[in-house]
mmCIF file of all heavy atoms in Angstrom:
data_model
loop_
_atom_site.group_PDB
_atom_site.id
_atom_site.type_symbol
_atom_site.label_atom_id
_atom_site.label_comp_id
_atom_site.label_asym_id
_atom_site.label_seq_id
_atom_site.Cartn_x
_atom_site.Cartn_y
_atom_site.Cartn_z
ATOM 1 N N SER Q 223 -22.530 28.083 24.040
ATOM 2 C CA SER Q 223 -23.189 27.477 22.888
ATOM 3 C C SER Q 223 -24.111 28.424 22.138
ATOM 4 O O SER Q 223 -24.229 28.339 20.914
ATOM 5 C CB SER Q 223 -23.998 26.252 23.340
ATOM 6 O OG SER Q 223 -23.158 25.244 23.853
ATOM 7 N N THR Q 224 -24.795 29.332 22.859
ATOM 8 C CA THR Q 224 -25.880 30.077 22.225
ATOM 9 C C THR Q 224 -25.530 31.499 21.798
ATOM 10 O O THR Q 224 -26.241 32.081 20.987
ATOM 11 C CB THR Q 224 -27.092 30.147 23.168
ATOM 12 O OG1 THR Q 224 -26.741 30.873 24.354
ATOM 13 C CG2 THR Q 224 -27.565 28.761 23.546
ATOM 14 N N SER Q 225 -24.461 32.068 22.337
ATOM 15 C CA SER Q 225 -24.166 33.465 22.008
ATOM 16 C C SER Q 225 -23.195 33.615 20.848
ATOM 17 O O SER Q 225 -22.926 34.725 20.398
ATOM 18 C CB SER Q 225 -23.587 34.180 23.236
ATOM 19 O OG SER Q 225 -22.304 33.674 23.549
ATOM 20 N N GLY Q 226 -22.656 32.492 20.389
ATOM 21 C CA GLY Q 226 -21.766 32.548 19.237
ATOM 22 C C GLY Q 226 -20.310 32.271 19.559
ATOM 23 O O GLY Q 226 -19.457 32.385 18.681
ATOM 24 N N ILE Q 227 -19.986 31.903 20.815
ATOM 25 C CA ILE Q 227 -18.586 31.685 21.181
ATOM 26 C C ILE Q 227 -18.007 30.467 20.453
ATOM 27 O O ILE Q 227 -16.975 30.563 19.772
ATOM 28 C CB ILE Q 227 -18.435 31.540 22.706
ATOM 29 C CG1 ILE Q 227 -18.648 32.907 23.379
ATOM 30 C CG2 ILE Q 227 -17.067 30.969 23.072
ATOM 31 C CD1 ILE Q 227 -18.599 32.877 24.889
ATOM 32 N N ILE Q 228 -18.650 29.324 20.599
ATOM 33 C CA ILE Q 228 -18.166 28.131 19.902
ATOM 34 C C ILE Q 228 -18.252 28.334 18.397
ATOM 35 O O ILE Q 228 -17.344 27.965 17.642
ATOM 36 C CB ILE Q 228 -18.954 26.885 20.338
ATOM 37 C CG1 ILE Q 228 -18.603 26.522 21.788
ATOM 38 C CG2 ILE Q 228 -18.660 25.702 19.408
ATOM 39 C CD1 ILE Q 228 -17.154 26.122 21.993
ATOM 40 N N PHE Q 229 -19.355 28.937 17.952
ATOM 41 C CA PHE Q 229 -19.492 29.208 16.519
ATOM 42 C C PHE Q 229 -18.326 30.050 16.013
ATOM 43 O O PHE Q 229 -17.780 29.803 14.936
ATOM 44 C CB PHE Q 229 -20.811 29.920 16.244
ATOM 45 C CG PHE Q 229 -20.955 30.391 14.821
ATOM 46 C CD1 PHE Q 229 -21.308 29.504 13.823
ATOM 47 C CD2 PHE Q 229 -20.722 31.713 14.488
ATOM 48 C CE1 PHE Q 229 -21.419 29.923 12.505
ATOM 49 C CE2 PHE Q 229 -20.835 32.151 13.177
ATOM 50 C CZ PHE Q 229 -21.195 31.251 12.179
ATOM 51 N N ALA Q 230 -17.937 31.054 16.798
ATOM 52 C CA ALA Q 230 -16.841 31.927 16.384
ATOM 53 C C ALA Q 230 -15.524 31.175 16.279
ATOM 54 O O ALA Q 230 -14.712 31.438 15.380
ATOM 55 C CB ALA Q 230 -16.704 33.085 17.380
ATOM 56 N N LEU Q 231 -15.299 30.232 17.189
ATOM 57 C CA LEU Q 231 -14.027 29.513 17.216
ATOM 58 C C LEU Q 231 -13.977 28.345 16.237
ATOM 59 O O LEU Q 231 -12.911 27.756 16.018
ATOM 60 C CB LEU Q 231 -13.755 28.995 18.630
ATOM 61 C CG LEU Q 231 -13.493 30.078 19.692
ATOM 62 C CD1 LEU Q 231 -13.495 29.468 21.084
ATOM 63 C CD2 LEU Q 231 -12.168 30.784 19.421
ATOM 64 N N LEU Q 232 -15.118 27.996 15.655
ATOM 65 C CA LEU Q 232 -15.146 26.900 14.688
ATOM 66 C C LEU Q 232 -14.424 27.304 13.413
ATOM 67 O O LEU Q 232 -14.343 28.477 13.076
ATOM 68 C CB LEU Q 232 -16.587 26.516 14.358
ATOM 69 C CG LEU Q 232 -17.441 25.992 15.503
ATOM 70 C CD1 LEU Q 232 -18.862 25.739 15.021
ATOM 71 C CD2 LEU Q 232 -16.846 24.714 16.075
ATOM 72 N N GLY Q 233 -13.931 26.329 12.691
ATOM 73 C CA GLY Q 233 -13.322 26.607 11.399
ATOM 74 C C GLY Q 233 -11.957 25.981 11.210
ATOM 75 O O GLY Q 233 -11.463 25.903 10.087
ATOM 76 N N PHE Q 234 -11.322 25.504 12.314
ATOM 77 C CA PHE Q 234 -9.984 24.929 12.160
ATOM 78 C C PHE Q 234 -10.001 23.719 11.239
ATOM 79 O O PHE Q 234 -8.990 23.367 10.632
ATOM 80 C CB PHE Q 234 -9.411 24.540 13.527
ATOM 81 C CG PHE Q 234 -10.110 23.383 14.200
ATOM 82 C CD1 PHE Q 234 -9.824 22.076 13.852
ATOM 83 C CD2 PHE Q 234 -11.048 23.607 15.200
ATOM 84 C CE1 PHE Q 234 -10.461 21.008 14.474
ATOM 85 C CE2 PHE Q 234 -11.681 22.549 15.833
ATOM 86 C CZ PHE Q 234 -11.385 21.245 15.461
ATOM 87 N N GLU Q 235 -11.174 23.077 11.105
ATOM 88 C CA GLU Q 235 -11.251 21.861 10.296
ATOM 89 C C GLU Q 235 -11.165 22.121 8.791
ATOM 90 O O GLU Q 235 -11.064 21.188 7.992
ATOM 91 C CB GLU Q 235 -12.551 21.108 10.609
ATOM 92 C CG GLU Q 235 -13.798 21.630 9.940
ATOM 93 C CD GLU Q 235 -14.337 22.896 10.578
ATOM 94 O OE1 GLU Q 235 -13.801 23.318 11.616
ATOM 95 O OE2 GLU Q 235 -15.303 23.459 10.036
ATOM 96 N N GLN Q 236 -11.204 23.402 8.384
ATOM 97 C CA GLN Q 236 -11.158 23.678 6.941
ATOM 98 C C GLN Q 236 -9.865 23.180 6.312
ATOM 99 O O GLN Q 236 -9.849 22.737 5.163
ATOM 100 C CB GLN Q 236 -11.329 25.174 6.687
ATOM 101 C CG GLN Q 236 -12.670 25.737 7.126
ATOM 102 C CD GLN Q 236 -13.830 24.921 6.613
ATOM 103 O OE1 GLN Q 236 -13.869 24.526 5.450
ATOM 104 N NE2 GLN Q 236 -14.780 24.636 7.485
ATOM 105 N N ALA Q 237 -8.764 23.223 7.049
ATOM 106 C CA ALA Q 237 -7.513 22.666 6.523
ATOM 107 C C ALA Q 237 -7.648 21.166 6.288
ATOM 108 O O ALA Q 237 -7.047 20.615 5.352
ATOM 109 C CB ALA Q 237 -6.368 22.943 7.502
#
Side-chain angles (χ1 to χ4, degrees):
S223 296
T224 63
S225 68
I227 288 177
I228 290 296
F229 173 79
L231 293 169
L232 298 177
F234 68 81
E235 80 284 354
Q236 297 310 315

